[in-house]
Amino acid sequence: MNPADNLLQLAGIKIVFGHGKKRFVALDDVSITIAADRPKIITIAGESGSGKTTLGRVALGLLAPSEGKFIYRGRDFEMMSGEERKTFRREVQAIFQDPFSVFNPFYTIDHLLRMPLKSFGIVKTRKEADDVIAEALGRVGLRPEQVLGHYPHQLSGGQRQRIVVARSLMLRPKLIVADEPVSMIDASLRANILDRLRTLRDEFGISIIYITHDLATARQVSDEVHILYHGKDVESGDAASVIGAPSHAYTRLLMSSIPRPDPDIPWAGSLADRPTH
C-alpha cells in the first residue's frame, strides 16, 4: 500500500527514556496503521506502565520516537512544515482521562469552545461560531443553555467529558486519541460516551485510538485491538479474535480480570442476611 493511502502509520516505534543504567524502554517495536478511507476504532490495552499513554503521545505528535517512523498522510512528522503541522494539530485531537484538567478554570465554556474555532480560522463571525458550537453540543446530547456561561467546575464530570468530545468534533478531525476517556465517569454515563465514539466513526468518518486497561469496554467499541505488555505489542488483530479467543497468556490474564455476574451465586449481602433492629 502506498504510504499516502494511510491516515496514520506508526512503524517500528521505540521510545527510550534515560541513559545507561537508568535507561528504560517504554515502547519496543510497536506498529499501527490506519487507512485514510476506512475509519476505525483501534484499542490499545494493557495495565498501568505498559506503554499505552506513551503510544498515544506519539500519535498526538507530543513525543518523538527514539526509533521508527511516525507518518501522517504520507508525510514523516519530523519533516512537516509549519503549515502542515498546523493542519495536523486540527485534524488530530485528544480526549483525556480527566475532563477537568483540560480546561482553564478561569474561562467560561463559551470562551473555551470559541478559542479553537478562532485559532484555526474555522469561522469568521461570532454568529458562525455560535452556530458551530450549538450543533456540536447537540451532537453530544447537550443544550447550549445547559453549559454556556458556566465555568468548568460548575458542570458534572459527564458534561465536561461530552464538552471535550464536542470541542474535538468542531474542529472536523480525522483522528481522535482517547486516553481512558471513561475511567473517571460514573458507570451510568460510560455507555453514553462509548456510544459517542461509535457515532464519531460511523457518522463522521473519524478514526479513534482508544486507550484503556478495560477490555470489557474495548469489546463494545473496537474494530482492532493491540495488547501492550512492558512496551511490546504481544497480541493484535480484529477485536473478535483478540478478545473472543485470546492466544497470549497476558491477554487471557486481562480477560480473566473482567467481572462477570453469575446469577447462580447468591449475593453475600442479601436482605435475609441483614441484621434486624
Side-chain angles (χ1 to χ4, degrees):
M1 178 180 287
N2 189 320
D5 294 334
N6 294 323
L7 176 68
L8 176 80
Q9 185 177 13
L10 302 178
I13 298 296
K14 186 171 187 175
I15 297 288
V16 180
F17 296 118
H19 302 280
K21 292 182 179 180
K22 295 185 177 179
R23 185 174 181 267
F24 172 69
V25 179
L27 288 174
D28 191 2
D29 193 24
V30 177
S31 298
I32 289 174
T33 300
I34 300 176
D37 60 347
R38 293 191 301 278
K40 61 183 176 181
I41 299 176
I42 296 180
T43 288
I44 310 298
E47 62 190 348
S48 296
S50 62
K52 308 186 303 294
T53 295
T54 300
L55 186 62
R57 292 179 64 198
V58 174
L60 288 166
L62 301 177
L63 184 63
S66 306
E67 296 179 18
K69 290 289 186 180
F70 172 28
I71 299 171
Y72 183 76
R73 289 184 176 273
R75 290 281 290 160
D76 188 321
F77 185 78
E78 292 299 315
M79 304 300 293
M80 283 185 181
S81 66
E83 193 61 33
E84 287 173 326
R85 289 202 180 206
K86 184 177 181 180
T87 299
F88 172 85
R89 297 294 178 207
R90 179 181 65 79
E91 292 187 346
V92 181
Q93 292 292 305
I95 301 174
F96 293 111
Q97 178 178 8
D98 183 355
F100 189 75
S101 63
V102 300
F103 294 122
N104 187 324
F106 297 103
Y107 291 124
T108 63
I109 298 301
D110 314 46
H111 177 83
L112 294 167
L113 293 178
R114 288 195 184 102
M115 187 167 54
L117 292 176
K118 181 179 179 181
S119 298
F120 288 106
I122 293 174
V123 298
K124 295 181 180 179
T125 67
R126 179 73 170 261
K127 174 65 166 59
E128 283 182 306
D130 290 345
D131 289 344
V132 170
I133 289 170
E135 181 183 3
L137 290 174
R139 294 285 186 183
V140 298
L142 293 173
R143 298 190 306 275
E145 60 269 23
Q146 288 179 298
V147 297
L148 299 184
H150 292 74
Y151 289 89
H153 72 272
Q154 295 176 308
L155 304 178
S156 70
Q159 287 175 317
R160 289 195 296 263
Q161 194 64 292
R162 281 185 280 174
I163 288 169
V164 174
V165 177
R167 181 185 181 279
S168 297
L169 190 56
M170 290 189 315
L171 300 180
R172 305 163 193 164
K174 299 298 182 182
L175 173 67
I176 290 176
V177 178
D179 190 354
E180 299 278 12
V182 297
S183 64
M184 295 186 67
I185 295 178
D186 291 344
S188 60
L189 292 173
R190 288 179 187 174
N192 182 280
I193 294 297
L194 294 173
D195 253 353
R196 304 294 173 193
L197 296 183
R198 284 192 293 261
T199 298
L200 293 176
R201 177 196 61 194
D202 297 340
E203 293 188 17
F204 299 97
I206 299 172
S207 289
I208 296 165
I209 295 177
Y210 174 52
I211 298 170
T212 185
H213 65 279
D214 182 4
L215 286 181
T217 59
R219 188 200 297 266
Q220 298 178 48
V221 299
S222 307
D223 300 304
E224 183 179 315
V225 175
H226 293 254
I227 305 295
L228 296 191
Y229 180 62
H230 292 322
K232 290 183 176 291
D233 190 344
V234 296
E235 185 165 5
S236 61
D238 65 272
S241 298
V242 173
I243 298 177
S247 60
H248 195 276
Y250 179 64
T251 310
R252 292 195 294 270
L253 178 64
L254 290 179
M255 290 298 299
S256 69
S257 68
I258 299 174
R260 291 178 173 82
D262 188 340
D264 296 326
I265 299 176
W267 179 45
S270 64
L271 289 175
D273 296 330
R274 291 187 181 181
T276 57
H277 296 285

